[in-house]
């Protein structure tokens, strides 16, 4: 088959199967329950944030607009991966078609890229709120917030479409290919191609720099200005609270960008498929679970809104 020819018209279509985490039945059940619990916690935590922001007028500010959209992204992002992953943990490995693998990769890269861009936008939001508090609502208007969010999604869609289309023009040798991963991520699928992938690898690095390196640098610049502003606060208690909040947010940022960089920006010669799969568990489960806890549930306004909503619900049920 000529290199670069699309493989969708093959008479014997290529299928992929994900490598099992373990073949021991007792460990399969344990992993299934663990991942299911984490997934449900991600759904509940992020849904609670969306619900409380949408139902409380006091939370209709740029910060909570971005937080609710981050939560929506986290729900979609994990839902693209986890249900299929859970279905493959128990019992026989179920194959996924070439088109199905391409669709999962497209949505995973789109949502993951939008997530990275949104974290940079949220860092800018915090910069404006802390360094220019009197002009916060004048700078971050509803229209600008919507434009930034739309721009992040549009850029992510463009990059993901180009990358996914480029990868799935590669030929894959054989009918049944095993992916050493739990999803159709870019690096493990590239490894299965029976063609020269140097150009594809270069494109992946360029996309990774645009999605990971540039937003991370913008976040660092924002937090440098934020740190300078915090140091000028006269109250020691105020400085302590501000640093505590910023350090928690930076922990999530470092986890997200650090783990993704290890998978997508490391030279191919120094990467391990097993390591990539383990690292991917962090940005699939850990950061979507930490985001609602760190960005919102530690926030007194959101906690107060949740508390009042629960009290109102309990009172209405009692009546």
């Amino acid at each position: 088959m000529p290199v670069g020819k699309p493989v969708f018209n093959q008479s014997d279509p290529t299928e992929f199967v994900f490598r099992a985490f373990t073949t021991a039945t007792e460990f399969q059940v344990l992993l299934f329950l663990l991942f299911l619990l984490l997934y449900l916690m991600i759904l509940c935590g992020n849904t609670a944030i969306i619900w409380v922001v949408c139902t409380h007028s006091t939370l209709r500010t740029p910060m909570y607009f971005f937080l609710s959209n981050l939560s929506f992204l986290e729900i979609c992002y994990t839902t693209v991966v986890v249900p299929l992953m859970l279905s493959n943990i128990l019992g026989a490995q179920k194959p996924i078609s070439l088109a199905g693998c391409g669709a999962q990769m497209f949505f995973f890269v789109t949502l993951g890229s939008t997530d990275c861009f949104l974290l940079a936008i949220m860092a800018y939001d915090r910069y404006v709120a802390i360094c220019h508090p009197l002009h916060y609502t004048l700078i971050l208007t509803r229209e600008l917030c919507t434009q930034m969010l739309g721009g992040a999604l549009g850029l992510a869609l463009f990059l993901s479409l180009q990358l996914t289309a480029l990868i799935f023009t590669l030929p894959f040798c054989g009918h049944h290919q095993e992916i050493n991963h739990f999803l159709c991520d870019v690096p493990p699928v590239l490894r299965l191609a029976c063609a020269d992938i140097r150009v594809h690898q270069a494109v992946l690095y360029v996309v990774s720099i645009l999605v990971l390196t540039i937003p991370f640098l913008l976040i660092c610049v924002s937090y440098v200005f934020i740190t300078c502003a915090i140091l000028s606060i006269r109250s020691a208690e105020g400085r302590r609270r501000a640093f505590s909040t910023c350090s928690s947010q930076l922990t999530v940022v470092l986890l997200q960008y650090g783990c993704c960089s290890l998978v997508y920006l490391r030279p191919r010669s120094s990467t391990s498929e097993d390591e990539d799969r383990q690292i991917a568990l962090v940005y699939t489960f850990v950061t979507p679970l930490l985001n609602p806890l760190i960005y919102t549930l530690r926030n007194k306004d959101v906690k107060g809104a949740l508390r009042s909503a629960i009290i109102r619900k309990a009172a209405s049920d009692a009546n």
Side-chain angles (χ1 to χ4, degrees), residues 4-290:
K5 181 182 176 182
V7 292
F8 294 101
N9 295 324
Q10 295 183 103
S11 58
D12 191 17
T14 300
E15 288 184 332
F16 298 99
V17 65
F18 301 110
R19 184 171 297 179
F21 282 98
T22 177
T23 55
T25 306
E26 58 272 21
F27 287 117
Q28 287 179 342
V29 173
L30 194 62
L31 283 175
F32 178 86
L33 293 174
L34 173 62
F35 292 144
L36 177 62
L37 176 63
L38 291 173
Y39 180 54
L40 293 176
M41 289 171 67
I42 290 167
L43 292 182
C44 292
N46 286 289
T47 302
I49 289 166
I50 296 170
W51 173 67
V52 77
V53 170
C54 290
T55 55
H56 287 75
S57 57
T58 56
L59 300 181
R60 291 186 187 157
T61 64
M63 180 177 76
Y64 296 112
F65 170 76
F66 293 131
L67 283 170
S68 60
N69 279 282
L70 179 68
S71 292
F72 179 71
L73 272 176
E74 301 290 16
I75 290 171
C76 296
Y77 175 77
T78 51
T79 301
V80 166
V81 176
V82 179
L84 182 62
M85 173 188 175
L86 291 174
S87 71
N88 279 291
I89 289 178
L90 293 177
Q93 298 297 97
K94 302 168 188 66
I96 181 172
S97 67
L98 194 68
C101 187
Q104 188 187 50
M105 181 185 291
F106 170 73
F107 286 112
F108 179 76
V109 174
T110 298
L111 294 167
S113 300
T114 308
D115 195 291
C116 290
F117 293 144
L118 185 53
L119 287 175
I121 293 171
M122 290 169 66
Y124 174 69
D125 167 79
R126 291 298 81 209
Y127 158 74
V128 175
I130 293 172
C131 299
H132 304 284
L134 299 179
H135 301 98
Y136 179 58
T137 54
L138 295 175
I139 296 172
L140 285 173
T141 62
R142 185 77 177 186
E143 183 181 4
L144 179 60
C145 292
T146 305
Q147 288 173 349
M148 287 195 293
L149 183 64
L153 179 58
L155 180 57
L157 280 167
F158 174 77
L159 294 173
S160 177
L161 183 61
Q162 300 302 312
L163 183 61
T164 306
L166 184 66
I167 288 170
F168 282 90
T169 57
L170 283 166
F172 296 95
C173 301
H175 167 62
H176 206 66
Q177 294 277 350
E178 184 183 62
I179 301 176
N180 188 8
H181 214 292
F182 54 84
L183 74 136
C184 287
D185 203 358
V186 179
V189 172
L190 267 181
R191 291 188 184 103
L192 299 178
C194 51
D196 187 354
I197 61 168
R198 284 176 295 183
V199 172
H200 303 75
Q201 198 71 47
V203 171
L204 175 60
Y205 286 142
V206 171
V207 171
S208 300
I209 288 169
L210 292 173
V211 172
L212 297 171
T213 308
I214 294 176
F216 181 70
L217 290 175
L218 292 174
I219 290 171
C220 290
V221 170
S222 296
Y223 273 96
V224 166
F225 285 109
I226 289 170
T227 302
C228 293
I230 290 172
L231 290 173
S232 67
I233 297 174
R234 294 181 180 179
S235 164
E237 179 62 21
R239 284 198 303 272
R240 187 193 65 78
R241 281 205 309 258
F243 273 125
S244 174
T245 302
C246 289
S247 63
S248 299
Q249 293 172 356
L250 280 173
T251 300
V252 173
V253 167
L254 289 171
L255 269 176
Q256 176 89 350
Y257 288 93
C259 291
C260 290
S261 296
L262 285 174
V263 172
Y264 297 105
L265 287 172
R266 275 194 303 178
R268 189 164 173 244
S269 57
S270 65
T271 60
S272 159
E273 293 183 45
D274 291 328
E275 280 181 13
D276 284 356
R277 183 162 70 158
Q278 292 160 11
I279 293 168
L281 288 171
V282 176
Y283 56 77
T284 303
F285 287 101
V286 178
T287 52
L289 186 60
L290 287 179

